[in-house]
Amino acid sequence: MTAKIDTQAAFEPETIDPNAVKQELIAKYPTKVARKRTKQIVINKVGEDFTVPEVGANVRTIPGIITQRGCSYAGCKGVVLGPTRDFVNLTHGPIGCGFYSWLTRRNQTKPPTAEEANFMPYCFSTDLQDNDIVFGGEKKLRAAIQEAYDIFKPKAISIFATCPVGLIGDDVHNVAKEMKEKLGINIFAFSCEGYKGVSQSAGHHIANNGIFKHVVGLDDTPGEGKYRINLLGEYNIGGDGFEIERFLQKCGITTVATFSGNSTYDQFATAHNADLNTVMCHRSINYVAEMMDKKFGIPWIKINFIGAGSSAKSLRKIARYFEDPELTDRVEEVIAEEMVEVEKVKADVRARCEGKLAMLFVGGSRAHHYQDLFAEMGMKTISAGYEFAHRDDYEGRRVLPGIKLDSDSRTIEELDVHPDPDRYRPRKSAEQVEELAAKGFTFRDYEGMMAQMPEGTLVIDDISQYETERMIEIYKPAIFCAGIKEKYAIQKKGIPMKQLHSYDSGGPYAGFKGAINFYREIDRMVNSKVWSYLKAPWQTNPELAATYACE
Ligand code: CFM
């Protein structure tokens, strides 16, 4: 075992040996646990052609370890379907599941008129009780669908199965089918019981399958706009989607559908009329991108609107795809215009933030994307990791063929998708694709987080509470980014903590205006020491004593 790292001594973080840190993180674990964790804690090394070391990812969390992860239901209902405003999203389960997935993610929506349906302020649940668990909940589900229909007359109702529903075996799909026939609206169900798979990632896949099977492609009405794209994997957290929409419109780019920030049923139904799928969060929505490519001939590209530089790069990539000088010129104009204010604020915050350390442990894409924003501020991401991403999100899609399906992943259906006999229309000919590729344009690819991270940084998958605390003690980062479950323990250690899921009460952080918001927020946080001034009672007076009440 390596000697314990002396965290009290003055140090330059770069002089810390990452190997020693890794050894220390796993030293406390029993042998079997250490063996598993050692595969998930990786010291980054970017080789030739951007090859990186293998990361253990998308595997079960070890019982007893406090994980950041959520459940399959959260990924399906909360993440993918939740931000759509005119579906009635009905949770079939005990009330807690519906309640805790109700707007805590801060996904925003804005119906264009007051008359348009917006069910987001409501929480729909069958509120299962003990009695229903014993005698079955299908009757209650039928009644709930009827009630929701009578009151709201929605275009669609989607039903989400929770753990107890899966355990007692309610046939949610059959009830959905029956009620669809009875009421004449689109009703479908998701078997996204919380225990499916190893994290919310399973729920993303289930949601992608369901939305593709039941809604995408139902409406062939052609839309307007010259450059028509779908924005996949953007969920309008803290208004990010509004900011993205602002500059896309300014460029003359039309968003046919967003999956699923600020979206509607009709957007999904007409999504197959777009000419390009742009994928922001690869983890949660790559399945829809792939399936739309196969069925309708719409290629997808990876983009990232987190960071002003990344936003500019992504806009240029979209313009290159359409190969129209009119769009290219407009995009350049917009970027030039937007960057004036960005550069001003960036220069200002850089003076105070340059060289400070950040750690990011979030979800399945933000731990990567937000590194761009920190880099723009001159800050270094010393360690990062995803909660539930797969190896391709770390190492790039090139590793996909080598990933073996384990029993947990096998429980998630893989849809067999073929070209639509009438509506398959390749948006680019084979020659056009080749020509673009020759110029370095990449279709259907994501190079992952690690290729972009410097050598010697620590990549930690599904970080535990214990590892979080040790990393903070060792590196003393200027800021730690994670979620609500981690927030208070980190602040108690005197370290500023930014929630990158819900943004605390801030945002938007996407695009150009979002970047400015982020620079200012992080500058404020890393340059105020408020948390380090606070001491817990046991820190100021370690000799607290207590007696038993019975004494
Ligand atoms: Fe994609 Fe997301 Fe994320 Fe995600 Fe999420 Fe989220 Fe996230 Mo929280 S879809 S993977 S399941 S970018 S809710 S908007 S912030 S963990 S990094």
Coordinates of all heavy atoms in Angstrom, one line a residue, residues 350-437:
R350 N -11.0 35.8 -16.3 CA -9.8 35.1 -16.4 C -8.7 35.6 -15.5 O -7.9 34.9 -14.9 CB -9.2 35.1 -17.9 CG -9.5 33.9 -18.7 CD -8.8 33.9 -20.0 NE -7.7 32.9 -20.0 CZ -7.7 31.8 -20.7 NH1 -8.7 31.5 -21.5 NH2 -6.7 31.0 -20.7
A351 N -8.7 37.0 -15.4 CA -7.8 37.6 -14.5 C -7.8 37.0 -13.1 O -6.8 37.0 -12.4 CB -8.0 39.1 -14.5
R352 N -9.0 36.6 -12.7 CA -9.2 36.1 -11.3 C -9.3 34.6 -11.2 O -9.1 34.0 -10.1 CB -10.5 36.7 -10.7 CG -10.4 38.1 -10.3 CD -11.7 38.6 -9.7 NE -12.8 38.5 -10.7 CZ -13.1 39.5 -11.6 NH1 -12.4 40.6 -11.6 NH2 -14.1 39.3 -12.4
C353 N -9.5 33.9 -12.3 CA -9.8 32.5 -12.3 C -8.7 31.6 -12.9 O -8.6 30.4 -12.6 CB -11.1 32.1 -13.0 SG -12.5 33.0 -12.2
E354 N -7.8 32.2 -13.6 CA -6.8 31.5 -14.3 C -6.0 30.5 -13.4 O -5.6 30.8 -12.3 CB -5.7 32.5 -14.9 CG -4.7 31.9 -15.8 CD -5.1 32.1 -17.3 OE1 -5.4 33.2 -17.7 OE2 -5.0 31.0 -18.0
G355 N -5.9 29.3 -13.9 CA -5.1 28.3 -13.2 C -5.8 27.5 -12.0 O -5.3 26.6 -11.5
K356 N -7.0 28.0 -11.7 CA -7.7 27.3 -10.6 C -8.3 26.0 -11.0 O -8.5 25.7 -12.2 CB -8.9 28.2 -10.1 CG -8.4 29.4 -9.3 CD -9.6 30.1 -8.7 CE -9.3 31.5 -8.1 NZ -8.3 31.5 -7.0
L357 N -8.4 25.1 -10.0 CA -8.8 23.7 -10.4 C -10.3 23.5 -10.2 O -11.0 23.9 -9.3 CB -8.1 22.7 -9.4 CG -6.6 22.7 -9.4 CD1 -6.1 21.6 -8.5 CD2 -6.0 22.6 -10.8
A358 N -10.8 22.7 -11.2 CA -12.2 22.2 -11.1 C -12.3 20.7 -11.2 O -11.4 20.0 -11.7 CB -13.0 22.8 -12.3
M359 N -13.3 20.2 -10.5 CA -13.6 18.8 -10.6 C -15.1 18.7 -11.0 O -15.9 19.4 -10.5 CB -13.4 18.1 -9.3 CG -12.0 17.9 -8.9 SD -11.8 16.9 -7.4 CE -10.1 17.0 -7.2
L360 N -15.4 17.7 -12.0 CA -16.7 17.6 -12.5 C -17.2 16.2 -12.4 O -16.6 15.3 -13.1 CB -16.8 18.0 -13.9 CG -16.7 19.5 -14.3 CD1 -15.2 20.0 -14.3 CD2 -17.2 19.7 -15.7
F361 N -18.2 15.9 -11.7 CA -18.7 14.5 -11.6 C -20.2 14.6 -11.8 O -21.0 14.8 -10.9 CB -18.4 13.9 -10.3 CG -16.9 13.6 -10.2 CD1 -16.1 14.5 -9.6 CD2 -16.4 12.5 -10.8 CE1 -14.7 14.3 -9.6 CE2 -15.0 12.3 -10.8 CZ -14.1 13.2 -10.2
V362 N -20.6 14.5 -13.1 CA -22.0 14.6 -13.5 C -22.4 13.7 -14.6 O -21.7 13.5 -15.5 CB -22.3 16.0 -14.1 CG1 -23.7 16.5 -13.7 CG2 -21.2 17.0 -13.7
G363 N -23.6 13.1 -14.4 CA -24.4 12.4 -15.4 C -23.6 11.7 -16.5 O -22.8 10.8 -16.2
G364 N -24.0 12.0 -17.8 CA -23.4 11.2 -18.9 C -22.9 12.1 -20.0 O -22.5 11.5 -21.0
S365 N -23.0 13.4 -19.8 CA -22.4 14.2 -20.9 C -21.8 15.5 -20.4 O -20.8 16.0 -20.9 CB -23.4 14.5 -22.0 OG -24.2 15.5 -21.7
R366 N -22.4 16.0 -19.3 CA -21.9 17.4 -18.8 C -20.5 17.4 -18.3 O -19.8 18.4 -18.3 CB -22.9 17.9 -17.8 CG -24.2 18.2 -18.5 CD -25.2 18.9 -17.7 NE -26.4 19.3 -18.5 CZ -27.4 20.0 -18.1 NH1 -27.5 20.4 -16.9 NH2 -28.4 20.2 -19.0
A367 N -20.1 16.3 -17.7 CA -18.7 16.2 -17.1 C -17.7 16.5 -18.2 O -16.6 16.9 -18.0 CB -18.5 14.9 -16.4
H368 N -18.1 16.2 -19.5 CA -17.3 16.5 -20.6 C -17.5 17.9 -21.1 O -16.6 18.8 -21.1 CB -17.5 15.5 -21.7 CG -16.7 15.8 -23.0 ND1 -17.0 15.2 -24.2 CD2 -15.6 16.6 -23.2 CE1 -16.1 15.7 -25.1 NE2 -15.3 16.5 -24.5
H369 N -18.8 18.2 -21.4 CA -19.1 19.5 -22.0 C -18.6 20.7 -21.2 O -18.2 21.7 -21.8 CB -20.6 19.6 -22.3 CG -21.1 18.7 -23.4 ND1 -22.4 18.4 -23.6 CD2 -20.4 18.0 -24.3 CE1 -22.5 17.6 -24.6 NE2 -21.3 17.3 -25.1
Y370 N -18.8 20.6 -19.9 CA -18.5 21.8 -19.1 C -17.0 22.1 -19.0 O -16.6 23.1 -18.5 CB -19.2 21.7 -17.7 CG -20.6 22.2 -17.9 CD1 -21.6 21.4 -18.5 CD2 -21.0 23.5 -17.5 CE1 -22.9 21.9 -18.7 CE2 -22.3 24.0 -17.7 CZ -23.2 23.1 -18.3 OH -24.5 23.6 -18.5
Q371 N -16.2 21.1 -19.3 CA -14.8 21.3 -19.3 C -14.4 22.4 -20.3 O -13.4 23.2 -20.1 CB -14.0 20.0 -19.7 CG -14.2 19.0 -18.6 CD -13.2 17.8 -18.9 OE1 -12.2 17.9 -19.5 NE2 -13.7 16.6 -18.4
D372 N -15.2 22.6 -21.4 CA -14.9 23.6 -22.3 C -15.1 25.0 -21.7 O -14.3 25.9 -21.9 CB -15.9 23.5 -23.5 CG -15.6 22.3 -24.4 OD1 -14.5 21.6 -24.1 OD2 -16.3 22.0 -25.3
L373 N -16.2 25.1 -20.9 CA -16.4 26.4 -20.3 C -15.3 26.8 -19.3 O -14.9 27.9 -19.2 CB -17.8 26.4 -19.5 CG -19.0 26.8 -20.4 CD1 -20.3 26.5 -19.6 CD2 -18.9 28.3 -20.7
F374 N -14.9 25.8 -18.5 CA -13.8 26.0 -17.5 C -12.5 26.4 -18.3 O -11.8 27.3 -17.8 CB -13.6 24.8 -16.6 CG -14.6 24.8 -15.5 CD1 -15.6 23.7 -15.5 CD2 -14.7 25.7 -14.5 CE1 -16.5 23.7 -14.5 CE2 -15.6 25.7 -13.5 CZ -16.6 24.7 -13.5
A375 N -12.3 25.7 -19.4 CA -11.0 26.0 -20.1 C -11.1 27.5 -20.7 O -10.1 28.2 -20.6 CB -10.9 25.0 -21.3
E376 N -12.3 27.9 -21.1 CA -12.4 29.3 -21.6 C -12.1 30.3 -20.5 O -11.6 31.4 -20.7 CB -13.8 29.5 -22.1 CG -14.0 28.8 -23.4 CD -15.5 28.8 -23.9 OE1 -16.3 29.5 -23.3 OE2 -15.8 28.2 -25.0
M377 N -12.3 29.9 -19.2 CA -12.0 30.8 -18.1 C -10.6 30.6 -17.6 O -10.2 31.2 -16.7 CB -12.9 30.4 -16.9 CG -14.4 30.6 -17.2 SD -15.4 30.1 -15.8 CE -15.1 31.5 -14.7
G378 N -9.9 29.7 -18.3 CA -8.5 29.5 -17.9 C -8.3 28.5 -16.7 O -7.3 28.3 -16.1
M379 N -9.4 27.9 -16.4 CA -9.4 26.9 -15.2 C -9.1 25.5 -15.8 O -9.4 25.2 -16.9 CB -10.7 26.9 -14.5 CG -10.9 28.2 -13.7 SD -12.5 28.4 -12.8 CE -12.4 27.1 -11.6
K380 N -8.5 24.7 -14.8 CA -8.1 23.3 -15.3 C -9.1 22.3 -14.6 O -9.3 22.3 -13.4 CB -6.7 23.0 -14.8 CG -5.7 23.9 -15.4 CD -4.3 23.6 -14.8 CE -3.3 24.6 -15.2 NZ -2.1 24.5 -14.4
T381 N -9.5 21.4 -15.4 CA -10.3 20.2 -14.9 C -9.3 19.1 -14.5 O -8.7 18.5 -15.4 CB -11.3 19.7 -15.9 OG1 -12.1 20.8 -16.3 CG2 -12.1 18.6 -15.3
I382 N -9.1 19.0 -13.2 CA -8.0 18.0 -12.8 C -8.6 16.6 -12.7 O -7.8 15.6 -12.8 CB -7.4 18.5 -11.4 CG1 -6.2 17.7 -11.0 CG2 -8.5 18.5 -10.3 CD1 -5.0 18.2 -11.7
S383 N -9.9 16.5 -12.5 CA -10.5 15.2 -12.4 C -12.0 15.3 -12.9 O -12.6 16.3 -12.6 CB -10.4 14.7 -11.0 OG -10.9 13.4 -11.0
A384 N -12.4 14.3 -13.6 CA -13.8 14.3 -14.0 C -14.3 12.9 -14.2 O -13.5 11.9 -14.4 CB -14.0 15.0 -15.4
G385 N -15.6 12.7 -14.2 CA -16.2 11.4 -14.4 C -17.7 11.5 -14.6 O -18.3 12.5 -14.2
Y386 N -18.2 10.5 -15.2 CA -19.7 10.4 -15.4 C -20.3 9.5 -14.3 O -19.6 8.7 -13.7 CB -20.0 9.7 -16.7 CG -19.5 10.5 -17.9 CD1 -18.7 9.9 -18.9 CD2 -20.0 11.8 -18.2 CE1 -18.4 10.5 -20.0 CE2 -19.6 12.4 -19.3 CZ -18.8 11.8 -20.3 OH -18.4 12.4 -21.4
E387 N -21.6 9.7 -14.1 CA -22.3 8.9 -13.1 C -22.6 7.5 -13.8 O -22.5 6.5 -13.2 CB -23.7 9.5 -12.8 CG -23.7 10.5 -11.8 CD -25.1 11.1 -11.7 OE1 -26.1 10.4 -11.7 OE2 -25.2 12.4 -11.7
F388 N -23.1 7.6 -15.0 CA -23.7 6.4 -15.6 C -23.4 6.2 -17.1 O -24.0 5.4 -17.8 CB -25.2 6.5 -15.4 CG -25.8 7.8 -15.9 CD1 -25.9 8.0 -17.3 CD2 -26.1 8.8 -15.0 CE1 -26.4 9.2 -17.7 CE2 -26.6 10.0 -15.5 CZ -26.8 10.2 -16.9
A389 N -22.5 7.0 -17.6 CA -22.2 7.0 -19.1 C -21.6 5.6 -19.4 O -21.2 4.9 -18.5 CB -21.3 8.1 -19.5
H390 N -21.5 5.3 -20.7 CA -20.9 4.1 -21.1 C -19.4 4.3 -21.6 O -19.0 5.5 -21.7 CB -21.7 3.4 -22.3 CG -23.1 3.2 -21.9 ND1 -23.9 2.4 -22.6 CD2 -23.9 3.6 -20.8 CE1 -25.1 2.3 -22.1 NE2 -25.1 3.1 -21.0
R391 N -18.8 3.3 -22.0 CA -17.4 3.4 -22.4 C -17.2 4.4 -23.6 O -16.3 5.1 -23.7 CB -16.8 2.1 -22.7 CG -16.2 1.3 -21.5 CD -15.5 0.0 -21.9 NE -14.4 0.3 -22.8 CZ -13.9 -0.6 -23.7 NH1 -14.5 -1.8 -23.7 NH2 -12.9 -0.4 -24.4
D392 N -18.2 4.3 -24.5 CA -18.1 5.2 -25.7 C -18.1 6.7 -25.3 O -17.5 7.5 -26.0 CB -19.1 4.9 -26.7 CG -20.5 4.6 -26.2 OD1 -20.5 3.8 -25.2 OD2 -21.5 5.0 -26.8
D393 N -18.8 7.0 -24.2 CA -18.8 8.5 -23.8 C -17.5 8.9 -23.2 O -17.1 10.0 -23.2 CB -19.9 8.7 -22.8 CG -21.3 8.2 -23.3 OD1 -21.8 8.9 -24.2 OD2 -21.8 7.2 -22.8
Y394 N -16.7 7.9 -22.7 CA -15.4 8.2 -22.2 C -14.3 8.1 -23.3 O -13.5 8.9 -23.5 CB -15.0 7.2 -21.1 CG -15.6 7.4 -19.8 CD1 -16.7 6.5 -19.3 CD2 -15.2 8.4 -18.9 CE1 -17.2 6.7 -18.1 CE2 -15.8 8.6 -17.7 CZ -16.8 7.7 -17.2 OH -17.3 7.9 -16.0
E395 N -14.4 7.0 -24.0 CA -13.3 6.6 -24.9 C -13.6 6.9 -26.4 O -12.7 6.7 -27.2 CB -13.0 5.1 -24.7 CG -12.6 4.7 -23.3 CD -12.6 3.2 -23.2 OE1 -12.0 2.5 -24.0 OE2 -13.3 2.7 -22.3
G396 N -14.8 7.2 -26.7 CA -15.2 7.5 -28.1 C -15.9 6.3 -28.7 O -15.8 5.2 -28.2
R397 N -16.7 6.6 -29.7 CA -17.5 5.5 -30.3 C -16.7 4.4 -31.0 O -17.2 3.4 -31.3 CB -18.5 6.1 -31.3 CG -19.7 6.7 -30.6 CD -20.7 7.3 -31.7 NE -21.4 6.3 -32.4 CZ -22.6 5.8 -32.1 NH1 -23.2 6.2 -31.0 NH2 -23.2 4.9 -32.8
R398 N -15.4 4.7 -31.2 CA -14.6 3.7 -31.8 C -14.6 2.4 -31.0 O -14.3 1.3 -31.6 CB -13.2 4.2 -32.0 CG -12.5 4.3 -30.7 CD -11.0 4.7 -30.9 NE -10.8 6.1 -31.0 CZ -9.7 6.6 -31.4 NH1 -8.7 5.9 -31.8 NH2 -9.5 7.9 -31.4
V399 N -14.8 2.5 -29.7 CA -14.8 1.3 -28.9 C -16.1 0.4 -28.9 O -16.1 -0.6 -28.4 CB -14.4 1.6 -27.4 CG1 -13.0 2.2 -27.3 CG2 -15.4 2.4 -26.7
L400 N -17.1 1.0 -29.5 CA -18.4 0.3 -29.5 C -18.4 -1.1 -29.9 O -19.0 -2.0 -29.3 CB -19.4 1.1 -30.4 CG -20.1 2.3 -29.7 CD1 -21.0 3.0 -30.6 CD2 -21.0 1.8 -28.5
P401 N -17.7 -1.4 -31.0 CA -17.7 -2.9 -31.5 C -17.1 -3.8 -30.4 O -17.5 -5.0 -30.4 CB -16.9 -2.9 -32.7 CG -16.8 -1.5 -33.2 CD -17.0 -0.6 -32.0
G402 N -16.3 -3.3 -29.6 CA -15.6 -4.2 -28.6 C -16.4 -4.3 -27.3 O -15.9 -5.0 -26.4
I403 N -17.5 -3.6 -27.1 CA -18.2 -3.6 -25.8 C -19.1 -4.8 -25.8 O -20.0 -5.0 -26.7 CB -19.0 -2.3 -25.6 CG1 -18.0 -1.2 -25.5 CG2 -19.8 -2.5 -24.3 CD1 -18.7 0.2 -25.3
K404 N -18.9 -5.7 -24.8 CA -19.8 -6.9 -24.8 C -21.0 -6.6 -24.0 O -21.0 -5.9 -22.9 CB -19.0 -8.0 -24.1 CG -18.0 -8.7 -24.9 CD -17.6 -10.1 -24.3 CE -16.2 -10.4 -24.8 NZ -15.1 -9.9 -23.9
L405 N -22.2 -7.0 -24.4 CA -23.4 -6.8 -23.7 C -23.5 -7.7 -22.5 O -23.3 -8.9 -22.6 CB -24.6 -7.2 -24.6 CG -25.2 -6.1 -25.5 CD1 -26.6 -6.6 -26.1 CD2 -25.4 -4.8 -24.8
D406 N -23.7 -7.1 -21.3 CA -23.8 -7.9 -20.1 C -25.3 -8.2 -19.8 O -26.1 -7.7 -20.5 CB -23.1 -7.3 -18.9 CG -23.6 -6.0 -18.5 OD1 -24.7 -5.6 -19.1 OD2 -23.0 -5.3 -17.7
S407 N -25.5 -9.0 -18.8 CA -26.9 -9.4 -18.6 C -27.8 -8.1 -18.2 O -29.0 -8.1 -18.5 CB -27.0 -10.4 -17.5 OG -26.3 -9.9 -16.3
D408 N -27.2 -7.1 -17.6 CA -28.0 -5.9 -17.3 C -28.4 -5.2 -18.5 O -29.6 -4.7 -18.6 CB -27.2 -5.0 -16.4 CG -27.1 -5.6 -15.0 OD1 -28.1 -6.0 -14.4 OD2 -25.9 -5.7 -14.5
S409 N -27.6 -5.1 -19.5 CA -27.9 -4.4 -20.7 C -28.8 -5.2 -21.6 O -29.6 -4.6 -22.4 CB -26.6 -4.0 -21.5 OG -25.7 -3.4 -20.7
R410 N -28.7 -6.5 -21.5 CA -29.5 -7.4 -22.3 C -31.0 -7.3 -22.0 O -31.9 -7.7 -22.8 CB -29.1 -8.8 -22.2 CG -28.6 -9.4 -23.6 CD -28.1 -10.7 -23.5 NE -26.6 -10.7 -23.7 CZ -25.7 -11.3 -23.0 NH1 -26.1 -12.0 -22.0 NH2 -24.5 -11.2 -23.3
T411 N -31.4 -6.7 -20.8 CA -32.8 -6.6 -20.5 C -33.4 -5.5 -21.3 O -34.6 -5.3 -21.2 CB -33.0 -6.4 -19.0 OG1 -32.2 -5.2 -18.6 CG2 -32.5 -7.5 -18.2
I412 N -32.6 -4.6 -21.9 CA -33.2 -3.5 -22.6 C -33.3 -3.9 -24.1 O -32.3 -4.3 -24.7 CB -32.3 -2.2 -22.5 CG1 -31.7 -2.1 -21.1 CG2 -33.0 -1.0 -23.0 CD1 -32.6 -1.8 -20.0
E413 N -34.5 -3.7 -24.6 CA -34.8 -4.1 -26.0 C -33.9 -3.3 -27.0 O -33.7 -2.1 -26.8 CB -36.2 -3.8 -26.3 CG -36.8 -4.4 -27.5 CD -38.2 -4.0 -27.8 OE1 -38.7 -3.1 -27.1 OE2 -38.8 -4.5 -28.8
E414 N -33.4 -4.0 -28.0 CA -32.8 -3.3 -29.2 C -33.8 -3.4 -30.3 O -34.1 -4.5 -30.8 CB -31.5 -4.0 -29.6 CG -30.3 -3.7 -28.8 CD -29.7 -2.3 -29.0 OE1 -30.0 -1.7 -30.1 OE2 -28.9 -1.9 -28.2
L415 N -34.3 -2.3 -30.8 CA -35.2 -2.3 -31.9 C -34.6 -2.7 -33.2 O -33.5 -2.2 -33.5 CB -36.0 -1.0 -32.0 CG -36.8 -0.5 -30.9 CD1 -37.5 0.8 -31.3 CD2 -37.8 -1.5 -30.4
D416 N -35.3 -3.5 -34.0 CA -34.8 -3.8 -35.3 C -35.3 -2.8 -36.3 O -36.5 -2.9 -36.6 CB -35.3 -5.3 -35.6 CG -34.5 -5.9 -36.7 OD1 -33.5 -5.3 -37.1 OD2 -35.0 -6.9 -37.3
V417 N -34.5 -1.9 -36.7 CA -35.0 -0.8 -37.6 C -34.5 -1.0 -39.0 O -33.3 -1.3 -39.3 CB -34.5 0.5 -37.0 CG1 -35.0 1.7 -37.9 CG2 -34.9 0.7 -35.6
H418 N -35.4 -0.8 -40.0 CA -35.0 -0.9 -41.4 C -35.5 0.4 -42.1 O -36.3 1.1 -41.6 CB -35.8 -2.1 -42.0 CG -35.4 -3.4 -41.4 ND1 -34.2 -4.0 -41.6 CD2 -36.0 -4.1 -40.4 CE1 -34.1 -5.1 -40.9 NE2 -35.2 -5.2 -40.1
P419 N -34.9 0.6 -43.3 CA -35.3 1.8 -44.1 C -36.8 1.8 -44.3 O -37.4 0.7 -44.7 CB -34.5 1.7 -45.4 CG -33.4 0.8 -45.0 CD -33.8 -0.1 -44.0
D420 N -37.5 2.9 -44.1 CA -38.9 3.0 -44.4 C -39.1 2.9 -45.9 O -38.5 3.6 -46.7 CB -39.4 4.4 -43.9 CG -40.9 4.5 -44.0 OD1 -41.4 4.6 -45.1 OD2 -41.5 4.5 -42.9
P421 N -40.0 2.0 -46.4 CA -40.1 1.8 -47.8 C -40.5 3.1 -48.6 O -40.1 3.3 -49.7 CB -41.2 0.7 -48.0 CG -41.7 0.5 -46.6 CD -40.8 1.1 -45.6
D422 N -41.3 3.9 -48.0 CA -41.7 5.1 -48.7 C -41.0 6.4 -48.3 O -40.9 7.3 -49.1 CB -43.2 5.4 -48.4 CG -44.1 4.2 -48.7 OD1 -43.8 3.6 -49.8 OD2 -44.9 3.8 -47.9
R423 N -40.5 6.4 -47.1 CA -40.0 7.7 -46.6 C -38.5 7.7 -46.4 O -37.9 8.7 -45.9 CB -40.7 8.1 -45.3 CG -42.2 8.3 -45.7 CD -43.0 8.7 -44.4 NE -43.0 7.6 -43.4 CZ -43.4 7.7 -42.2 NH1 -43.9 8.9 -41.8 NH2 -43.4 6.7 -41.4
Y424 N -37.8 6.6 -46.7 CA -36.3 6.7 -46.5 C -35.7 7.6 -47.6 O -36.0 7.3 -48.8 CB -35.7 5.3 -46.6 CG -34.2 5.3 -46.5 CD1 -33.6 5.3 -45.2 CD2 -33.4 5.2 -47.6 CE1 -32.2 5.3 -45.1 CE2 -32.0 5.2 -47.5 CZ -31.4 5.3 -46.2 OH -30.1 5.3 -46.1
R425 N -35.0 8.6 -47.3 CA -34.5 9.5 -48.3 C -33.1 10.0 -47.7 O -33.0 10.8 -46.8 CB -35.4 10.7 -48.4 CG -35.0 11.7 -49.4 CD -36.1 12.7 -49.7 NE -36.5 13.5 -48.5 CZ -35.9 14.5 -48.1 NH1 -34.9 15.0 -48.7 NH2 -36.4 15.2 -47.0
P426 N -32.0 9.4 -48.3 CA -30.7 9.8 -47.8 C -30.5 11.3 -48.0 O -30.7 11.8 -49.1 CB -29.7 9.0 -48.6 CG -30.5 8.0 -49.3 CD -31.9 8.5 -49.4
R427 N -30.2 12.0 -47.0 CA -30.1 13.5 -47.1 C -28.8 13.9 -47.8 O -28.7 15.0 -48.4 CB -30.1 14.2 -45.8 CG -31.4 13.9 -44.9 CD -32.7 14.1 -45.7 NE -33.8 14.3 -44.9 CZ -34.7 13.3 -44.6 NH1 -34.6 12.1 -45.0 NH2 -35.8 13.6 -43.8
K428 N -27.8 13.0 -47.8 CA -26.6 13.3 -48.6 C -26.3 12.0 -49.4 O -26.4 10.9 -48.9 CB -25.4 13.5 -47.6 CG -25.5 14.8 -46.8 CD -24.8 16.0 -47.5 CE -25.1 17.3 -46.7 NZ -24.8 18.4 -47.6
S429 N -25.9 12.2 -50.6 CA -25.5 11.1 -51.4 C -24.2 10.5 -50.9 O -23.4 11.2 -50.2 CB -25.4 11.5 -52.9 OG -24.2 12.4 -53.0
A430 N -23.8 9.3 -51.3 CA -22.6 8.7 -50.9 C -21.4 9.5 -51.3 O -20.4 9.7 -50.5 CB -22.5 7.3 -51.5
E431 N -21.5 10.1 -52.5 CA -20.4 11.0 -52.9 C -20.2 12.2 -52.1 O -19.1 12.6 -51.7 CB -20.6 11.5 -54.4 CG -20.6 10.4 -55.5 CD -22.0 9.7 -55.5 OE1 -23.0 10.4 -55.8 OE2 -22.1 8.5 -55.3
Q432 N -21.4 12.8 -51.7 CA -21.3 14.0 -50.9 C -20.7 13.7 -49.5 O -19.9 14.5 -49.0 CB -22.7 14.6 -50.7 CG -23.3 15.4 -51.9 CD -24.7 15.8 -51.7 OE1 -25.6 14.9 -51.3 NE2 -25.0 17.0 -52.0
V433 N -21.1 12.6 -49.0 CA -20.6 12.1 -47.7 C -19.1 12.0 -47.8 O -18.3 12.4 -46.9 CB -21.3 10.8 -47.2 CG1 -20.6 10.2 -46.0 CG2 -22.8 11.1 -46.9
E434 N -18.7 11.3 -48.8 CA -17.3 11.1 -49.0 C -16.5 12.4 -49.1 O -15.4 12.5 -48.5 CB -17.1 10.3 -50.3 CG -16.0 9.1 -50.1 CD -16.1 8.2 -51.3 OE1 -15.4 8.5 -52.3 OE2 -16.9 7.2 -51.3
E435 N -17.0 13.3 -49.9 CA -16.4 14.6 -50.1 C -16.2 15.3 -48.8 O -15.2 15.9 -48.5 CB -17.3 15.4 -51.1 CG -16.5 16.2 -52.1 CD -17.5 16.8 -53.1 OE1 -17.9 16.1 -54.0 OE2 -17.9 17.9 -52.8
L436 N -17.3 15.3 -48.0 CA -17.3 16.0 -46.7 C -16.2 15.3 -45.8 O -15.5 16.0 -45.1 CB -18.6 16.0 -46.1 CG -19.6 17.2 -46.5 CD1 -21.0 16.9 -46.1 CD2 -19.1 18.5 -46.0
A437 N -16.3 14.0 -45.8 CA -15.4 13.3 -44.9 C -13.9 13.5 -45.3 O -13.0 13.7 -44.4 CB -15.7 11.8 -45.0

